[in-house]
Amino acid sequence: MTRPIERADYRVTFVVLLLGVSAFALLQSLVIPALPTIQASLHTSQNTVTWVLTAYLLSASIFTPIIGRVGDMVGKERMLVVTLSGLAVGTLIAGLSHSILMLILGRAVQGIGGGTLPLSFGIIRDEFPADKVPGGVGIIAAMMAVGSGLGLVIAGPIVSSLDYHWLFWIPLVIIAIAATCAQFFVPESPVRTKGRVNFAAAGLLSGWLVALLLGVSEGPVWGWGSTRVVGLIVLSVVLIAIWIRVESRSVQPLIDMKMMRVPAVWTNNLVAFLFGVGMYSIFAFLPEFLQTPKSAGYGFGASIVRSGFFLLPQTVMMFIFGLLTGRIANRIGSKLAVIIGSIVSCAGYTMLAFAHAYQWQIYVVGALLGMGMGLAFSAMSNLIVQAVPAEQTGVASGMNANIRTIGGAVGAAVMSSIVTSTLLHGGLPAESGYTNGFLFVAVVTLFAVIAALFIPSTRPVPVGEHHMAHAELAMVPGGTLTEG
């Protein structure tokens, strides 16, 4: 007689997942306000120090979907421990760095941590009662945005009181705790996908991601018409076409193209891309706007610390609405939550374009953006999880996060070109550059509203359905039930 599988309390699992995702999210943005300090400390150029961000972006974009896929196959808990360990190693290298090359290497290794998000979504789907899944997914998704926003807030005090190395030592403690707890308290995945990693597809995926993100990231520096940028973008298009062909013909694809064509998947991915354009642009350029000296005719002359506090309402509202998204989605549906979040975000960007002369206006904008992002990101993640079979949760949510990252890279590059199109004496951007840039993200988010209208509606899962969940897992095509 087979003994019943004993599962850990889902609330313990949830705390561990929150720790891991929060640490990864912090590391996304902590270095942004500190780049000038890092540049001066390591005696490097502005172009070189931007690779502290670019290396991380490229690495995370490659590892996120691949780790999500491997987790679906070999076990999400096992890969969560591996992912957090890789993130810890990268953070340790960055913390010990005394040269720009060592720091860039550490940031590249940190990109392994991109797998924490899809793995967390998959574990929540496997382990949580059905009625708790939307709320759990929503909070984890919101923590990615909250952590990124919080990084911008606390980076200033850390650098001012200590030095830039502590931007890595503090998250390292959280990562170490999360990895240890994941090993001992997170149960092994009951759902598995049979198969092996398609290395040809992984290589093609990595190739087009690197070509595309490198091209758009360096476009403002190298020039959009330069041979290098045009060549990289053309190369990415060619590799994408080959990658899709290989994946479509593969018996065991890395990314299932049939899954990517599911209406609920591609529409959410489109909204994620458009939202990424806005979120990353604001994270990158709003602090610069706030720190611009008043002598330029705009800005607040804020210090790194003060500019971070300007963004506090945004972080707080993202957290609150991330917590509430599960309840809101149960009442009005996740699709409507995405639409409302997109509308509120669009209103925030529009207000920022036309009303940014007073401090209270920045606070109101931050609150609107926090509400919109917290609501929309959390609801989108829920829709992705609901749209795919349990054994594809990791790879589907990984690609969704990846597409948002690609949108962020494109948005930040375009925003940079717009903002710096007109410079004042002294090299500062003209106010019109920021106004046009904020209008750009408002228009992009308006397209996100339109795209969200095409997301198929879904019904909430009845509470009672979870009682047979683990028994049903054994009957999921491609999945197996194992002891945790």
Side-chain angles (χ1 to χ4, degrees):
M1 182 176 178
T2 305
R3 70 178 180 85
I5 297 172
E6 296 181 2
R7 317 300 296 174
D9 190 305
Y10 74 92
R11 286 165 290 196
V12 175
T13 298
F14 188 55
V15 172
V16 177
L17 298 180
L18 277 177
L19 284 174
V21 170
S22 299
F24 174 72
L26 276 174
L27 288 168
Q28 279 192 312
S29 60
L30 267 175
V31 300
I32 294 176
L35 284 179
T37 302
I38 293 173
Q39 179 184 343
S41 299
L42 299 181
H43 310 290
T44 188
S45 66
Q46 184 175 3
N47 288 343
T48 302
V49 81
T50 58
W51 275 93
V52 174
L53 292 178
T54 303
Y56 180 85
L57 187 68
L58 291 174
S59 178
S61 67
I62 292 168
F63 281 108
T64 298
I66 292 176
I67 288 177
R69 168 65 170 156
V70 175
D72 289 338
M73 290 192 304
V74 306
K76 303 176 186 73
E77 182 271 342
R78 183 179 303 171
M79 285 308 299
L80 179 64
V81 174
V82 171
T83 299
L84 289 173
S85 299
L87 181 61
V89 170
T91 306
L92 178 62
I93 293 172
L96 293 172
S97 64
H98 289 284
S99 71
I100 189 64
L101 291 179
M102 187 175 178
L103 179 56
I104 291 171
L105 173 63
R107 292 288 285 171
V109 176
Q110 281 180 341
I112 296 172
T116 56
L117 191 62
L119 294 173
S120 296
F121 289 155
I123 291 170
I124 288 172
R125 185 170 185 175
D126 290 350
E127 298 300 326
F128 282 32
D131 62 310
K132 303 295 184 183
V133 170
V137 170
I139 294 172
I140 290 292
M143 282 307 300
M144 283 299 296
V146 169
S148 297
L150 185 61
L152 298 176
V153 173
I154 66 175
I158 291 174
V159 173
S160 300
S161 304
L162 303 165
D163 64 38
Y164 80 86
H165 292 92
W166 285 91
L167 298 174
F168 306 106
W169 293 130
I170 293 173
L172 181 59
V173 174
I174 302 174
I175 298 165
I177 294 172
T180 303
C181 292
Q183 175 65 40
F184 292 104
F185 298 116
V186 177
E188 190 48 272
S189 310
V191 180
R192 305 285 179 85
T193 301
K194 295 179 180 179
R196 58 182 178 79
V197 177
N198 188 326
F199 289 103
L204 288 167
L205 173 65
S206 302
W208 74 255
L209 282 170
V210 170
L212 177 62
L213 294 179
L214 184 59
V216 298
S217 297
E218 298 298 329
V221 179
W222 294 344
W224 289 104
S226 68
T227 303
R228 284 183 291 180
V229 170
V230 173
L232 284 168
I233 293 176
V234 170
L235 176 62
S236 69
V237 172
V238 172
L239 292 177
I240 288 173
I242 298 173
W243 172 70
I244 292 174
R245 185 178 180 85
V246 169
E247 293 281 44
S248 299
R249 293 187 169 191
S250 176
V251 177
Q252 295 178 333
L254 180 69
I255 309 295
D256 189 345
M257 290 296 112
K258 292 180 180 178
M259 176 197 72
M260 295 294 286
R261 290 195 295 268
V262 171
V265 174
W266 74 258
T267 50
N268 274 286
N269 285 342
L270 177 58
V271 176
F273 174 86
L274 296 170
F275 246 89
V277 170
M279 186 181 80
Y280 281 78
S281 297
I282 290 301
F283 283 170
F285 287 93
L286 186 54
E288 289 188 11
F289 174 85
L290 297 171
Q291 293 171 27
T292 302
K294 293 182 180 180
S295 59
Y298 66 95
F300 297 90
S303 63
I304 296 179
V305 175
R306 186 163 165 247
S307 65
F309 284 115
F310 268 107
L311 303 175
L312 191 58
Q314 179 177 337
T315 303
V316 171
M317 296 306 288
M318 278 193 289
F319 179 70
I320 291 173
F321 276 81
L323 290 176
L324 296 176
T325 296
R327 297 180 183 178
I328 294 172
N330 283 335
R331 288 179 176 271
I332 66 175
S334 294
K335 173 183 176 177
L336 187 54
V338 174
I339 294 172
I340 293 173
S342 302
I343 292 172
V344 173
S345 297
C346 184
Y349 292 130
T350 304
M351 178 177 176
L352 184 59
F354 295 107
H356 49 241
Y358 301 99
Q359 293 185 24
W360 68 266
Q361 294 171 332
I362 304 299
Y363 293 134
V364 171
V365 165
L368 288 173
L369 294 179
M371 291 168 58
M373 291 178 184
L375 190 58
F377 277 148
S378 301
M380 271 189 285
S381 299
N382 268 313
L383 286 167
I384 288 289
V385 170
Q386 294 168 13
V388 300
E391 71 273 15
Q392 289 185 326
T393 301
V395 67
S397 54
M399 278 304 291
N400 182 258
N402 213 30
I403 288 169
R404 186 171 67 217
T405 300
I406 294 170
V410 172
V414 175
M415 184 80 166
S416 177
S417 296
I418 294 172
V419 169
T420 59
S421 60
T422 305
L423 299 177
L424 302 172
H425 295 295
L428 291 172
E431 183 179 6
S432 61
Y434 281 106
T435 298
N436 293 333
F438 297 145
L439 274 177
F440 159 71
V441 294
V443 172
V444 169
T445 311
L446 178 60
F447 282 112
V449 176
I450 297 171
L453 296 175
F454 292 92
I455 297 174
S457 298
T458 58
R459 68 175 181 86
V461 179
V463 175
E465 288 190 10
H466 178 72
H467 298 315
M468 297 299 294
H470 289 297
E472 291 171 352
L473 290 174
M475 297 182 285
V476 174
T480 59
L481 187 61
T482 60
E483 291 191 350

